Amino acid sequence: MTQTIATARACSNIAFIKYWGNRNSALRLPANGSISMNLDGLETVTTVRFDPALPADRLILDGKEQGGEVLERVSRHLDHLRTLAGIQTRALVISRNNFPTGAGIASSASAFSALTVAACAALGLRLSERQLSALARLGSGSACRSVPGGFVEWYAGRDHDSSHAQSIAPPEHWALVDLVAIVSSAHKAVGSTGGHALAPTSPLQAARVADAPRRLNICREAIYKRDFEALADVIEQDALMMHAVMMTSSPPLIYWLPTTLHIMQAVQQWRQAGLPVAFTIDAGPNVHVITTAEFRAQLSQRLAQIAGVDRVLEAGPGGPTRLLDEHLSAD
């Protein structure tokens, strides 16, 4: 095999209906389906170069050479793709995020979506969006949702081929904005992969999963109808249910910081005062505050004034993972 190279850009995503817990950990088949919005401008760009001269895979993330579990996870994912292509050639992976990594902003989602699309292109694999989504899921469950664009639903499925994501509305369907209040940029002590394994130890997980179809239906219809009030109620309930499972797992996972709770309470007060605003929180302390484009500036300013908020990232609905013509260098 000659040296081949490709680069892809993927958006992070924010789950409105959360993925937490697996029915099959090896395949990352989720306990329930989920719905998310891609985040325009919160991106990972990844270049993959397969090179016969490399004795082992290399990973350079945000300018730093990686080893240990981080590199092993990328290599395991590349192994799936190498098997499909019928090759064993090692790869140099160069990846950059423009937002904090491992802090509850779905960095693994954009990372493994970009890695999958770039690596498959470099290998010459001609795959559909559905196939790419299913493959991205093997690296990080939520990565399957970053492959399609806009508002996306991940179907739990029965097996590898049926557990994939697809767009249910394009980015331009609804001018929502995610204002990400950064409380901490520190890497999580327990990442999402470890947390998924703990989910079944919570006595609340079974009830959360059993109720998921109801929440999915409400969320899907709210997106179709652009019904902010219905969306706000269901995404806050879903986020609190997931964190209740985390907090009652064994051992418990408590990601919130004091500022996290302060923001949640402020958001609820603002909504009671008539503003279209709601919160959701992934596996981390940072709060995603969802609003409409009209109120973007006002609410971003309010969030920035809360003590303990380091900065506020802003993102509207983002598009699908795309291949780029330019490639990252290791320098």
Side-chain angles (χ1 to χ4, degrees):
M1 174 184 176
T2 59
Q3 177 178 299
T4 56
I5 187 170
T7 299
R9 175 190 286 125
C11 295
S12 174
N13 67 68
I14 178 60
F16 292 156
I17 303 300
K18 307 293 189 186
Y19 154 51
W20 197 250
N22 291 313
R23 287 178 292 116
N24 181 316
S25 295
L27 294 178
R28 298 185 194 270
L29 299 181
N32 59 273
S34 58
I35 292 176
S36 62
M37 181 180 84
N38 278 9
L39 300 178
D40 184 46
L42 300 185
E43 302 168 340
T44 299
V45 175
T46 300
T47 294
V48 181
R49 187 183 80 207
F50 288 92
D51 186 349
L54 286 173
D57 290 325
R58 291 180 61 203
L59 171 63
I60 299 173
L61 175 60
D62 294 331
K64 297 179 180 178
E65 186 95 25
Q66 303 292 314
E69 173 55 28
V70 176
L71 175 60
E72 290 172 14
R73 186 174 176 186
V74 167
S75 287
R76 285 196 301 270
H77 191 60
L78 289 173
D79 285 342
H80 293 300
L81 310 183
R82 280 187 279 251
T83 298
L84 278 179
I87 63 112
Q88 295 183 332
T89 308
R90 302 293 106 182
L92 169 64
V93 177
I94 307 167
S95 190
R96 292 179 186 164
N97 295 320
N98 68 357
F99 60 94
T101 301
I105 316 179
S107 56
S108 65
S110 54
F112 280 93
S113 180
L115 177 66
T116 301
V117 172
C120 286
L123 290 167
L125 295 171
R126 297 180 179 273
L127 302 175
S128 66
E129 183 178 85
R130 172 173 173 162
Q131 290 171 313
L132 289 168
S133 173
L135 285 171
R137 189 199 73 244
L138 297 176
S140 170
S142 56
C144 75
R145 297 192 308 247
S146 281
V147 174
F151 300 86
V152 174
E153 181 163 1
W154 174 12
Y155 305 108
R158 304 169 306 281
D159 53 22
H160 171 68
D161 292 331
S162 59
S163 185
H164 68 97
Q166 71 177 37
S167 175
I168 59 173
E172 60 272 17
H173 171 72
W174 195 3
L176 293 183
V177 177
D178 183 5
L179 304 173
V180 191
I182 303 297
V183 173
S184 172
S185 296
H187 207 287
K188 296 177 290 193
V190 178
S192 296
T193 298
H196 289 301
L198 294 177
T201 68
S202 167
L204 305 183
Q205 172 71 345
R208 189 193 73 86
V209 171
D211 186 63
R214 179 190 68 86
R215 301 193 306 281
L216 285 164
N217 287 336
I218 293 171
C219 184
R220 192 185 306 110
E221 286 300 309
I223 291 171
Y224 288 154
K225 297 176 181 177
R226 295 187 284 270
D227 183 342
F228 193 89
E229 184 177 352
L231 182 75
D233 287 341
V234 76
I235 68 173
E236 288 190 358
Q237 182 184 62
D238 189 85
L240 292 172
M241 290 176 79
M242 181 181 75
H243 280 271
V245 167
M246 294 172 175
M247 293 177 186
T248 53
S249 294
S250 182
L253 295 176
I254 302 177
Y255 288 114
W256 296 353
L257 295 174
T259 307
T260 308
L261 188 58
H262 188 178
I263 297 167
M264 293 159 61
Q265 292 171 327
V267 166
Q268 291 186 325
Q269 290 168 4
W270 297 338
R271 189 156 84 254
Q272 288 170 3
L275 290 174
V277 61
F279 68 78
T280 185
I281 311 169
D282 279 348
N286 300 314
V287 185
H288 294 255
V289 177
I290 309 299
T291 187
T292 58
E294 180 184 358
F295 294 90
R296 177 179 193 152
Q298 178 188 156
L299 288 166
S300 181
Q301 184 177 29
R302 288 193 185 194
L303 287 168
Q305 292 172 346
I306 293 177
V309 173
D310 180 58
R311 65 192 186 282
V312 179
L313 306 178
E314 302 182 16
T321 299
R322 297 287 193 195
L323 291 168
L324 305 178
D325 292 330
E326 297 182 0
H327 307 306
L328 299 177
S329 69
D331 300 329

